[in-house]
Amino acid sequence: MSEHAEADPGRPQPRPQPEASGVDLARVALRAAKEQARARGAAAQQKKQARRGGLRSGARADGRDPLPLGAAINRLITERGWETPAAVGGVMGRWPQIVGAEVAQHCEPIKYDEDARVLTVQCDSTAWATQLRLLAPQLVARLNGDLGQGTVKLIKVLGPGGPQQRHGRLRAPGSKGPGDTYG
């Protein structure tokens, strides 16, 4: 083959690039100089920040700026995944509005088990405990409507607790208090 290969008629020939003139060369050189200066400036800024002990707040807003208390608490709740416990805590605070004033006088929420999704409520009499057990399906639906579907699966209703057992010097060892005489 010779040094001068014949041109393929089906293939387009590359056009020769025009040589850069003085103005074009100046633009290319200016662009390269700006990029180098930007890189040097960023490196110098990083060194300066490292010497000062980290980033400092500037004139523009960033994630380190102070927040109003409510926004900071909402951000903390979201970051830690506390949405459900916080919502249930809000329900415990609004218990009278959810169940009504009369029921709230006799029944109060005690705890919420997040894993089992069970709300435990204690009533001051067995009659109110029975009444609340009958109202439990409607309360579960109302709570799930307020908190999100599936937040509460069951309401565990407790009746009144027995009398407190007192331990003192006038007690017989091993006695069970009033249960000794009544059964």
Side-chain angles (χ1 to χ4, degrees):
M1 274 216 169
S2 68
E3 257 182 16
H4 300 289
E6 289 184 29
D8 187 12
R11 211 169 98 191
Q13 293 296 321
R15 289 193 296 177
Q17 293 290 329
E19 289 190 28
S21 66
V23 174
D24 292 332
L25 284 174
R27 284 185 185 139
V28 171
L30 180 62
R31 187 178 309 127
K34 283 183 177 180
E35 288 175 9
Q36 288 174 354
R38 193 175 300 124
R40 280 194 310 268
Q45 184 69 21
Q46 286 176 350
K47 284 181 185 177
K48 190 175 180 182
Q49 288 173 353
R51 270 187 268 133
R52 283 193 286 174
L55 293 173
R56 301 277 171 118
S57 185
R60 294 187 181 93
D62 63 7
R64 299 169 294 134
D65 287 341
L67 294 173
L69 182 61
I73 290 173
N74 287 338
R75 186 165 129 187
L76 179 68
I77 287 171
T78 303
E79 287 174 356
R80 301 278 171 106
W82 295 340
E83 289 93 357
T84 301
V88 172
V91 164
M92 290 187 176
R94 294 181 291 123
W95 184 251
Q97 289 89 13
I98 293 172
V99 297
E102 188 177 5
V103 175
Q105 278 183 325
H106 300 282
C107 305
E108 66 175 325
I110 296 176
K111 68 177 182 174
Y112 174 72
D113 182 8
E114 189 175 352
D115 297 330
R117 300 189 185 273
V118 175
L119 178 67
T120 304
V121 179
Q122 184 161 22
C123 298
D124 60 0
S125 70
T126 55
W128 276 105
T130 303
Q131 183 68 25
L132 198 64
R133 284 187 190 103
L134 295 173
L135 291 173
Q138 290 98 357
L139 286 177
V140 168
R142 190 178 300 168
L143 289 169
N144 284 332
D146 193 32
L147 300 172
Q149 198 57 36
T151 304
V152 178
K153 290 185 178 179
L154 178 71
I155 293 181
K156 183 177 177 181
V157 181
L158 303 176
Q164 282 188 333
Q165 294 185 8
R166 297 183 187 190
H167 300 285
R169 18 175 253 169
L170 300 178
R171 290 280 182 200
S175 74
K176 295 181 182 154
D180 277 349
T181 54
Y182 297 112

